[in-house]
Amino acid sequence: MAAFGPAPCDRRWSVSLLVNELSALYNAFVAGQPDPLPPLSVQYIDYAAWQQHHLSGDALLHQQQYWVEQLRNAPDRLTLPTDHPHPSRQCYDGGHVAFTVNGVLLDSLKHLSQQRGCTLFMTLMAGWAVLMSRLSGQHDIVIGTPVAARHHREIEPLIGMFVNTLALRVDLSDAPDTPALLAQLKEAALAAQQHADVPFEQVVEAVAPRRSLAYSPLFQVMLALHNLPDATPALDGVRTSALENDIETSQFDLNLELHEQDGQLNGTLYYAAALFERTTIERWAAYWMRILEGMVMSPQQTVAALPLLEDASVAGRTGLVSDDAAPVDDSTLHALFEDQAAAHPEALAVVDENGSLTYAELDAQANQLARTLLAHGVGGEDRVALCVERSQAMAIGVLGILKAGAAYVPFDTRYPRERLVTMRADSGAALVLVDAVGEQILGRGADTLLLSGEECCYRTASSVPIAVTVTPDQLAYVIYTSGSTGQPKGIAMPHAPLVNLMRWQNRHPATVTSQFAAFGFDVASQELLSALTSGGTLAIVPEAVRLDMPRLMAFFDQQRVERAFLPPALLRALAQAGCECGWTPALREVICSGEALRINDDIRTLFARAPQLQLFNQYGPAESHVVCAARCQEDPTQWPDLPPIGHPIPGAILYVLDADGQPVPPGISGELYIGGHSLSRGYVGLPAQTAERFLPDVLAEQEGARLYRTGDMVRQRSDGQLEYLGRCDHQITLRGYRIEPGDIESLLRGRPGVSDALVMLRTNVGGEPQLAAYLQGDDIALAALQAYAMAHLPDYMVPSAWVVMTAFPMTRNGKVDRRALPEPDMQVAATAFEPPFDDEEQAMAMLWQRLLGVERIGRHDDFFALGGHSLLAVRVVADIQQTQQVEVPVAELFEHSTLAAFTERVVDISIAQFDLDELLNMTDVEAEGDDHE
């Protein structure tokens, strides 16, 4: 028996030589003949000496420079969808799947290759690159391939390491068709061959990619086409056979090895068993062959649109739906509330820091407001703006407006006045309802009604219910989001989709639901309506408590909150604080939405500590609200970092489609389209934008059915759940807020000195995502520009970093090369530097540096101007409490946002919180010590 392990040789060529020479020597020995092998003209040591001499000086530098330029800014890794989480250290346990490309397809591929003047290898590599792109959603693909560096006849009979590895880079960003892709592969492969002498290890050293123990450098997938047959010993009188190796390994995530035999192409796809299941690899092998067929049959079609399914025109077009049917329902939101008020009139409906209302009291006041609105001429489909703080007035206003047959337009009182005025005009609001804070912001006019104080507009109105006919397709609310044109856009949502959502959400009603979200955010409506349409209590979190983690934990416990809707970023802050203080939550459900949920160890620990507590990940844009959800199951300590967004809720139909609107199979990334009973009407006063995003669903049975194009990239897992991958455009989600960069860019362009502007999401050295504004122009006054942005944009839309450039970098295609934009300097907008004054300021500066990712901080620098935001402020006060045992309200940082002012407040608060009795005891002890001296 001969066993071939990881010998230092190019295995297939050298093993073939060894087997052939062994056969010749054995047969000659048996026949009594002399050694039949000719003498070698050179030895391997001669080749090694030649290679060392040849690859030195300018020759080596020239080849290295080629690879440095070729692989500049290449992606660090190929993000293939995996069945298992990627381990922190690469595991080499493997498996393999064998398959065959039949002779008919092989002949067609050879003919296609000949037509395009390339080799079969180039065509197979092109199809492999397309599959990798379709699986990963990336357009910049790097694939490794081995090459036999036996360029001289003299070394062909040598056994030794003559193989090298090349990294071929494929660009699919311009949606090439098959001829264009083959031309690109031909050019890349020939150029790589001309620079194939430099060993791969030296290429890695020269390119210097980001290294990780979790994956191999430069590429993680390979393809090899072997042109030598399997070596089989031909020994006279001896029967030989190859034994399969039971120990399987894989040095890469995927390694496709091909060799032609008996008129067909035999393939073996090796895979990392720590990442993939065999069924997934079998499916991918079938996808690859479908791509090859598509390249032959439809060469003029863009390769990104080549079908992966046997019948792509039908498969997947039924969409993803819930296993539970949506109930037929003609109810309205306020009718659901009225049912609860009739059934449980004395139950607690709303609690805020100033008091509470029972269902009967809330229903009566909402009836009074509805009558008042009708008396002022408000009718069906009218819009009524509601500019109030998060309080009982919010619930009264929403229900009163709905009872009058109108739609509410929620205003966040923290928005700049100018933005609220724009929203008011755009919505066409017939009236504006305000509390004292809203009146301060918007003023008071003939179309403004007060909801608080002695002049409350409905105080004398009758509370008797009124009969106003409202149908499910009537408008319920208009909520504003960031718009790409520089103006916010209003989303018009009727009752029916929201009733469908409430019915689903309240399958398991909560006795107490917290109200945390800002009023202008669609989650605020979900909190309010899900509580009040199920008979539960809405517990409004006081503004001073929302970002104070110890007080928020106490609020949840004191109010006996069962269900809390929390942004993922705040959940992480809450979990960190909870783990530090040993809090065991009594909550039953935490629901996250608004941005991608990322699980960390603090979240795992907190949920493991409370077995009754469940974590839900909900997904849905404001144009539809929630359409799918997942419950994090099993042991919380085993939760993945990025949980799926789950299955559709009843009534929603989800499609995963490619760029040509064709369905993609499981495991392939595509854009998510939403249909069914979950859609809004569209954008108020923007018919063109509505038509662009809301498309006819031509396959739906219902006449007039539509699909909403989300712009979100997803893929379906093997268990049917969807994974969120990110945006297919430049839209940003930050701390739960959806931001159109164009909204900010339009504001900045045209300001003095600014000729162009780009806004991107960047991560600072502390790991925090922050908005960065890149400005093209001369003589730009950054401080004035920042002040202008703060006056005209909500705080979450104001960039944290500002970069001024004379010109933006461009790609070869004439587009802005966003990847080449420099990392922002988080301190460019800071004031003139003055170092910290004393030890307290120095310690505070070090804390800010760590959280903000800024190299130096002066005593007059502003926390928020340097990139700080509300959740980072939470971490500041949490750190102070942990390290100094001083409880500082988060509001103090907002009111005293410079380093010097905030440090002074912390010192003052620490003195005020110091235990006077402890101080007196310390004084007594010191006095006693003096007596004994």
Side-chain angles (χ1 to χ4, degrees):
M1 181 177 72
F4 300 102
C9 64
D10 47 354
R11 180 169 175 172
R12 183 172 287 267
W13 190 302
S14 291
V15 168
S16 180
L17 285 172
L18 178 60
V19 168
N20 291 336
E21 291 183 359
L22 175 64
S23 299
L25 289 170
Y26 178 86
N27 293 334
F29 175 77
V30 170
Q33 297 175 352
D35 181 356
L37 301 178
L40 297 173
S41 59
V42 296
Q43 296 289 334
Y44 187 78
I45 192 172
D46 300 319
Y47 167 77
W50 171 86
Q51 185 186 47
Q52 186 174 13
H53 173 74
H54 177 68
L55 285 179
S56 61
D58 292 341
L60 176 62
L61 291 176
H62 172 73
Q63 293 217 14
Q64 286 181 332
Q65 188 59 35
Y66 166 80
W67 290 110
V68 169
E69 292 300 324
Q70 180 67 14
L71 298 174
R72 188 181 300 279
N73 294 325
D76 293 320
R77 62 183 296 188
L78 186 67
T79 54
L80 295 171
T82 60
D83 296 310
H84 309 289
H86 218 293
S88 57
R89 280 179 172 267
Q90 188 174 2
C91 179
Y92 298 104
D93 294 339
H96 77 273
V97 168
F99 62 94
T100 300
V101 177
N102 63 56
V104 175
L105 177 55
L106 179 58
D107 290 341
S108 299
L109 291 170
K110 289 181 177 179
H111 180 66
L112 174 64
S113 303
Q114 292 171 355
Q115 281 184 320
R116 296 300 164 186
C118 59
T119 63
L120 176 64
F121 164 78
M122 297 172 187
T123 302
L124 298 173
M125 176 64 82
W128 187 238
V130 172
L131 177 60
M132 294 301 99
S133 176
R134 299 281 290 275
L135 289 172
S136 66
Q138 297 172 227
H139 300 303
D140 193 353
I141 308 295
V142 181
I143 300 173
T145 186
V147 57
R150 296 174 181 262
H151 304 309
H152 304 279
R153 183 179 299 275
E154 293 82 2
I155 63 176
E156 289 183 359
L158 292 183
I159 294 175
M161 178 58 78
F162 295 94
V163 72
N164 196 13
T165 304
L166 306 181
L168 298 183
R169 188 174 183 181
V170 185
D171 182 6
L172 297 160
S173 59
D174 285 338
D177 58 14
T178 295
L181 181 59
L182 291 179
Q184 181 189 152
L185 254 298
K186 179 180 178 180
E187 180 181 356
L190 292 178
Q193 286 281 1
Q194 294 171 3
H195 301 84
D197 292 331
V198 59
F200 177 70
E201 293 78 9
Q202 294 189 27
V203 172
V204 174
E205 183 179 348
V207 175
R210 183 181 302 171
R211 303 301 292 268
S212 171
L213 296 175
Y215 53 86
S216 55
L218 295 185
F219 56 81
Q220 294 80 49
V221 298
M222 289 194 70
L223 180 144
L225 176 61
H226 302 292
N227 54 14
L228 291 176
D230 289 332
T232 303
L235 307 179
D236 293 344
V238 178
R239 185 175 63 186
T240 62
S241 61
L243 294 177
E244 291 293 334
N245 185 1
D246 294 333
I247 302 175
E248 293 195 273
T249 62
S250 180
Q251 300 297 310
F252 300 93
D253 292 357
L254 296 175
N255 181 15
L256 178 57
E257 297 203 0
L258 306 162
H259 70 276
E260 186 177 350
Q261 186 176 13
D262 300 330
Q264 59 187 16
L265 195 64
N266 296 325
T268 304
L269 181 50
Y270 297 92
Y271 61 91
L275 301 178
F276 307 108
E277 293 292 335
R278 179 183 177 88
T279 53
T280 297
I281 303 305
E282 290 173 339
R283 188 168 61 246
W284 290 359
Y287 292 166
W288 182 60
M289 288 191 284
R290 286 289 296 133
I291 288 173
L292 295 178
E293 292 173 359
M295 293 170 63
V296 170
M297 300 298 295
S298 306
Q300 302 305 320
Q301 188 174 18
T302 60
V303 292
L306 292 175
L308 299 174
L309 300 170
E310 288 296 329
D311 189 357
S313 62
V314 177
R317 289 300 295 178
T318 55
L320 305 175
V321 297
S322 171
D323 293 335
D324 301 322
V328 178
D329 204 325
D330 59 356
S331 297
T332 58
L333 294 168
H334 55 282
L336 296 180
F337 162 75
E338 290 168 346
D339 291 342
Q340 298 298 328
H344 314 285
E346 299 307 314
L348 207 56
V350 182
V351 177
D352 67 10
E353 57 187 331
N354 296 316
S356 62
L357 292 174
T358 65
Y359 269 82
E361 292 168 339
L362 178 58
D363 189 40
Q365 292 195 42
N367 288 336
Q368 289 178 289
L369 177 59
R371 287 184 175 275
T372 302
L373 294 175
L374 291 172
H376 281 77
V378 171
E381 292 287 315
D382 281 344
R383 294 102 190 239
V384 177
L386 188 55
C387 187
V388 296
E389 289 191 291
R390 298 168 43 264
S391 62
Q392 296 176 26
M394 183 173 65
I396 296 168
V398 166
L399 292 171
I401 293 168
L402 294 177
K403 282 172 174 280
Y408 66 94
V409 185
F411 283 6
D412 188 337
T413 55
R414 298 175 303 172
Y415 281 9
R417 181 180 185 280
E418 182 175 323
R419 194 171 184 87
L420 294 179
V421 170
T422 299
M423 291 163 54
R424 174 180 175 179
D426 183 79
S427 67
L431 290 174
V432 180
L433 305 182
V434 297
D435 60 6
V437 174
E439 184 182 15
Q440 283 183 342
I441 298 170
L442 295 177
R444 191 167 177 185
D447 57 354
T448 304
L449 300 180
L450 278 173
L451 291 186
S452 60
E454 295 297 326
E455 299 181 69
C456 177
C457 65
Y458 61 82
R459 181 175 298 277
T460 60
S462 170
S463 62
V464 176
I466 51 177
V468 175
T469 301
V470 181
T471 60
D473 60 348
Q474 276 187 234
L475 198 60
Y477 67 57
V478 174
I479 282 184
Y480 278 82
T481 67
S482 176
S484 59
T485 62
Q487 297 293 330
K489 57 185 178 184
I491 297 170
M493 181 67 75
H495 282 256
L498 297 173
V499 168
N500 180 70
L501 175 61
M502 296 306 113
R503 294 288 196 193
W504 170 79
Q505 185 75 68
N506 290 326
R507 294 168 305 160
H508 309 290
T511 56
V512 180
T513 298
S514 61
Q515 199 289 303
F516 178 91
F519 188 33
F521 193 27
D522 57 357
V523 175
S525 293
Q526 188 179 3
E527 293 170 323
L528 185 151
L529 295 171
S530 64
L532 298 181
T533 60
S534 66
T537 300
L538 183 70
I540 299 175
V541 182
E543 197 64 34
V545 174
R546 289 176 74 233
L547 300 179
D548 190 323
M549 296 302 104
R551 296 177 67 186
L552 183 60
M553 289 184 278
F555 176 87
F556 286 150
D557 292 340
Q558 293 164 2
Q559 297 295 330
R560 298 184 179 182
V561 173
E562 286 193 347
R563 176 182 291 160
F565 294 80
L566 298 176
L570 187 121
L571 175 60
R572 291 192 290 272
L574 180 69
Q576 179 184 2
C579 289
E580 289 172 353
C581 71
W583 179 53
T584 300
L587 290 158
R588 198 186 76 197
E589 295 178 9
V590 170
I591 299 172
C592 286
S593 62
E595 62 181 327
L597 172 60
R598 296 182 181 273
I599 305 291
N600 61 15
D601 288 340
D602 288 335
I603 294 176
R604 295 184 182 97
T605 301
L606 185 69
F607 279 77
R609 191 182 292 162
Q612 87 291 345
L613 181 55
Q614 299 183 75
L615 177 60
F616 293 87
N617 189 21
Q618 295 187 353
Y619 166 86
E623 286 81 355
S624 67
H625 221 309
V626 175
V627 292
C628 62
R631 177 169 67 90
C632 295
Q633 299 179 344
E634 304 170 352
D635 181 1
T637 62
Q638 301 302 313
W639 285 349
D641 292 345
L642 292 172
I645 58 175
H647 298 284
I649 72 169
I653 303 175
L654 307 182
Y655 300 87
V656 185
L657 307 178
D658 64 18
D660 291 329
Q662 294 300 312
V664 300
I668 302 295
S669 61
E671 186 176 354
L672 182 62
Y673 288 70
I674 299 173
H677 306 301
S678 300
L679 298 186
S680 66
R681 294 180 182 176
Y683 306 116
V684 174
L686 298 172
Q689 290 193 33
T690 299
E692 179 184 352
R693 305 301 294 189
F694 292 82
L695 311 174
D697 186 353
V698 296
L699 294 182
E701 297 180 359
Q702 180 182 359
E703 185 177 354
R706 299 173 302 148
L707 291 176
Y708 171 66
R709 182 177 184 178
T710 66
D712 289 328
M713 298 298 292
V714 300
R715 69 165 64 96
Q716 186 183 6
R717 305 195 319 183
S718 56
D719 62 2
Q721 296 195 83
L722 292 177
E723 291 180 319
Y724 175 78
L725 304 178
R727 294 290 302 174
C728 60
D729 55 20
H730 299 305
Q731 191 183 91
I732 293 168
T733 300
L734 180 64
R735 302 193 293 279
Y737 293 99
R738 192 174 79 181
I739 300 171
E740 290 281 1
D743 195 350
I744 308 170
E745 292 164 357
S746 297
L747 183 80
L748 300 178
R749 292 187 184 116
R751 299 302 300 166
V754 180
S755 60
D756 200 359
L758 284 175
V759 173
M760 295 176 58
L761 194 65
R762 304 301 291 249
T763 302
N764 67 13
V765 295
E768 286 292 325
Q770 304 196 342
L771 287 179
Y774 292 85
L775 308 171
Q776 183 174 290
D778 298 309
D779 300 325
I780 299 175
L782 281 180
L785 190 61
Q786 185 183 39
Y788 182 81
M790 295 178 69
H792 291 79
L793 294 171
D795 57 356
Y796 65 86
M797 292 178 64
V798 177
S800 302
W802 305 77
V803 180
V804 177
M805 307 178 68
T806 56
F808 291 149
M810 309 299 287
T811 66
R812 289 174 293 181
N813 301 321
K815 301 176 182 177
V816 175
D817 188 353
R818 291 174 176 260
R819 293 183 58 185
L821 290 170
E823 290 294 330
D825 179 357
M826 303 304 294
Q827 201 155 349
V828 293
T831 58
F833 180 76
E834 181 179 338
F837 175 71
D838 52 23
D839 291 344
E840 286 78 11
E841 288 188 5
Q842 183 62 47
M844 188 66 68
M846 292 177 64
L847 172 59
W848 286 19
Q849 286 172 320
R850 175 164 55 84
L851 294 179
L852 296 172
V854 179
E855 291 186 2
R856 67 173 192 173
I857 292 179
R859 63 192 316 264
H860 300 302
D861 287 345
D862 187 283
F863 179 81
F864 299 100
L866 292 174
H869 52 74
S870 56
L871 294 180
L872 278 181
V874 170
R875 293 176 61 182
V876 169
V877 298
D879 191 283
I880 293 172
Q881 182 176 9
Q882 182 182 11
T883 58
Q884 303 180 34
Q885 288 74 52
V886 179
E887 295 186 7
V888 180
V890 177
E892 293 289 348
L893 184 51
F894 285 88
E895 296 175 9
H896 310 278
S897 56
T898 65
L899 181 76
F902 182 63
T903 304
E904 182 179 358
R905 284 296 300 148
V906 172
V907 171
D908 290 344
I909 292 172
S910 66
I911 294 173
Q913 291 180 0
F914 197 82
D915 190 340
L916 182 59
D917 292 334
E918 183 178 349
L919 178 61
L920 293 175
N921 290 336
M922 291 173 59
T923 305
D924 293 340
V925 170
E926 291 176 358
E928 292 176 4
D930 292 340
D931 292 340
H932 291 290
E933 290 181 355

